[in-house]
């Protein structure tokens, strides 16, 4: 059976039984889904929750290692945590699903389950773990005690926190995205979620994803699931640029527009993010998406601040169609949005 169990003391004197299991979660799939994803009916409308059963039953296990922790009292689940890391490297992880049953809070359940998840990832050779929350969430103090620090946030409360488990936190990006390594292209897959989160949360450009609304310091986490769901619905694929160590330094994909399918079925918006250390590889990444969509008309967007993004589009063969004056804003500053097109 794919699980281990042990006990942890609570502040109340009770003993919490902790269960660790990996997807496919066998007998735990249904109770974990019910507790972690279906507690509130509104959750089922989110891409995160629509993928719950697929995750728990191991559909993504070839590329993603999903690890679940459940806390039990009297045989019932009262708290959970989870993390996912790529199966091929295990260097970075996305952490979340930190939930405690309302009538069991303030006993230290989430503190224990967060601690054991971080320890587990560290013991497996993990380097950096990310999570998404907001500045008003009381759980942020639990995360801070486990070593998480605010890394990327925007006014209004949303934030990405990260926990660098080896080396200095301030040197993580320099080491992880060290320039000069040979790269290769391959199709994007579900196991790339943590790697995409590392890349998208960097201040590498102002406009990162026009279709998903990811700009500058917009926290990026659950948007990856929207991205993948959109690709599956349209039988399309994204592409990633990875180094020899399996680190994702570029990502590109074709997104559909919000208009009705009959109106813009011939159109896709090309979205891409490339780390500045590998900016010269952007046209190669774009070419892979363009080859898949050779019968479609393509659009792309860039801010006037993102000179290298504009250069990459133009080198790939895109032409600037329009300049939307003052369509973007950063604080009190306004600047232009460029519209590019290709094909058709």
């Amino acid at each position: 059976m794919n699980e281990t169990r042990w006990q942890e003391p609570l502040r109340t004197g009770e003993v919490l039984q902790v269960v660790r299991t990996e997807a496919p979660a066998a007998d735990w799939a249904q109770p974990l889904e019910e507790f972690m994803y279906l507690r509130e009916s509104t959750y089922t409308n989110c891409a995160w929750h629509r993928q719950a059963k697929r995750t728990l039953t191991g559909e993504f296990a070839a590329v993603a290692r999903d690890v679940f922790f459940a806390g039990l009292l009297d045989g019932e689940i009262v708290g959970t945590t989870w993390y996912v890391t790529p199966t091929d490297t295990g260097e970075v992880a996305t952490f979340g699903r930190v939930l405690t049953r309302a009538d069991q809070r303030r006993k230290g359940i989430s503190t224990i389950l967060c601690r054991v998840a971080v320890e587990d990832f560290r013991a497996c050779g993990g380097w950096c773990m990310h999570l998404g929350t907001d500045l008003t969430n009381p759980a942020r103090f639990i995360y801070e005690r486990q070593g998480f620090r605010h890394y990327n946030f925007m006014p209004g409360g949303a934030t990405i926190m990260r926990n660098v488990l080896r080396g200095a936190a301030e040197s993580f990006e320099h080491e992880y995205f060290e320039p000069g390594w040979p790269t290769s292209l391959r199709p994007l897959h579900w196991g790339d979620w943590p790697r995409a989160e590392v890349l998208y949360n960097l201040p590498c450009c102002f406009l990162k994803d026009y279709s998903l609304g990811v700009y500058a310091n917009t926290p990026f986490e659950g948007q990856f699931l929207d991205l993948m769901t959109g690709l599956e619905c349209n039988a399309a694929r994204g592409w990633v640029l990875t180094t020899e160590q399996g680190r994702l330094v570029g990502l590109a994909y074709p997104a559909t527009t919000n208009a009705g399918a009959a109106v813009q079925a011939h159109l896709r918006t090309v979205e891409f993010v490339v780390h500045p250390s590998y900016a010269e590889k952007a046209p190669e990444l774009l070419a892979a998406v363009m080859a898949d969509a050779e019968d479609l008309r393509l659009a792309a967007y860039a801010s006037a601040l993102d000179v290298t993004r504009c250069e990459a589009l133009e080198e790939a063969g895109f032409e600037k169609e329009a300049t939307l004056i003052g369509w973007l804003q950063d604080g009190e500053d306004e600047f232009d949005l460029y519209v590019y097109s290709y094909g058709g």
Side-chain angles (χ1 to χ4, degrees), residues 97-139:
R97 311 313 305 140
V98 181
L99 302 168
T100 301
R101 206 171 75 189
D103 64 341
Q104 299 294 330
R105 292 172 183 165
R106 301 187 182 278
K107 294 183 177 183
I109 293 171
S110 286
T111 296
I112 290 171
L113 296 178
C114 286
R115 172 177 56 80
V116 299
V118 172
E119 290 175 350
D120 186 87
F121 180 57
R122 188 200 307 269
C124 293
W127 186 1
C128 185
M129 179 178 271
H130 288 70
L131 65 84
T133 184
D134 62 68
L135 297 176
T136 62
N137 186 350

Side-chain angles (χ1 to χ4, degrees), residues 131-150:
L131 65 84
T133 184
D134 62 68
L135 297 176
T136 62
N137 186 350
R140 58 175 280 211
F141 301 109
I142 297 175
Y143 306 146
E144 289 170 355
R145 287 195 294 271
Q146 301 306 323
F148 285 91
R149 296 293 179 263
H150 297 285

Side-chain angles (χ1 to χ4, degrees), residues 11 14 60 70 91 111-112 114 135 151 154 227 230 242-243 269 298 310 313 330:
R11 298 169 187 162
E14 297 171 283
F60 310 130
E91 286 189 319
T111 296
I112 290 171
C114 286
L135 297 176
Y151 172 62
M154 64 188 303
L227 187 165
T242 61
T243 65
T269 300
L298 303 177
C310 297
L313 287 167
D330 186 12

Side-chain angles (χ1 to χ4, degrees), residues 4 29 33 60 64 67 80 103 107 115 185-186 192 195:
T4 55
E33 180 185 8
F60 310 130
V67 185
T80 57
D103 64 341
K107 294 183 177 183
R115 172 177 56 80
L185 283 170
R186 65 161 172 80
D192 288 320
R195 290 186 277 227

